[in-house]
Amino acid sequence: MLKSTEPVQFEPQFVAALREVFEQRIAFNQVLGLKITDVAPQLVQGRIAMRPELIGHAAYERIHGGVISAALDSMGGLAVMAAICAKHMDDAPLQRLHRFSRLGTIDLRVDYLRPGIGKEFLLRAEVLRLGSRVANTRMEFLAADGTLLSTGTAAYIVS
């Protein structure tokens, strides 16, 4: 039997459950205020609203570099989750969410290109390679108008 070439579409139930885990059960994502805006097997997107607690430079009200790196890392992990789930569409939606107990960051690089000044920031992440033990991702941290502020690459253990 030939595999379908149709793009994978996640069920609304799965996306809602993934959003609930990512936004509510991961306490640090709550601290960051990280929200998922789109989940697809090839690309995940999110946003962060600026708050006083996230300021890293008081005079300019820039977002802290640690917030940027943590948000990029979280989004990279989410991209890996989505890619893994796309490979297991035969599993029930909620069963797919239980595949991540051993997902963890093993390497992270962030390049800060421009100051993070604004009321809201956008994030994107995609998986470059999904192996049997390691996944590699590329992430972007953008201003609300789409200006690229920071980029990241990461490796995650997936076995």
Side-chain angles (χ1 to χ4, degrees):
M1 185 163 142
L2 293 173
K3 278 195 163 199
S4 171
T5 58
E6 293 290 316
V8 172
Q9 292 281 337
F10 292 132
E11 308 87 345
Q13 175 191 17
F14 171 76
V15 173
L18 185 62
R19 182 175 281 124
E20 196 267 328
V21 167
F22 190 78
E23 294 178 1
Q24 303 300 319
R25 294 191 193 171
I26 300 174
F28 193 65
N29 287 350
Q30 284 184 315
V31 170
L32 296 173
L34 193 50
K35 302 291 183 192
I36 297 172
T37 57
D38 191 41
V39 177
Q42 66 281 1
L43 179 71
V44 296
Q45 298 182 79
R47 66 177 176 78
I48 291 179
M50 186 60 170
R51 306 186 324 271
E53 301 85 1
L54 304 180
I55 292 174
H57 192 293
Y60 297 102
E61 296 190 359
R62 285 193 295 238
I63 195 164
H64 193 284
V67 173
I68 294 170
S69 66
L72 289 173
D73 184 24
S74 290
M75 291 299 291
L78 179 63
V80 172
M81 288 179 185
I84 291 170
C85 287
K87 291 176 67 173
H88 297 280
M89 291 301 289
D90 291 338
D91 293 350
L94 297 179
Q95 186 180 7
R96 280 181 247 142
L97 291 177
H98 295 288
R99 294 187 170 273
F100 308 113
S101 62
R102 290 172 282 190
L103 179 68
T105 309
I106 55 178
D107 186 52
L108 175 67
R109 176 187 167 86
V110 176
D111 290 310
Y112 301 95
L113 308 174
R114 293 177 184 83
I117 299 171
K119 294 184 184 202
E120 184 174 65
F121 303 97
L122 309 175
L123 296 107
R124 288 188 227 155
E126 64 180 330
V127 174
L128 302 174
R129 181 182 176 277
L130 179 61
S132 61
R133 298 185 53 84
V134 175
N136 301 89
T137 63
R138 177 176 39 222
M139 302 84 70
E140 298 177 329
F141 190 89
L142 307 112
D145 68 0
T147 302
L148 185 62
L149 303 176
S150 298
T151 62
T153 56
Y156 299 87
I157 190 78
V158 295
S159 61

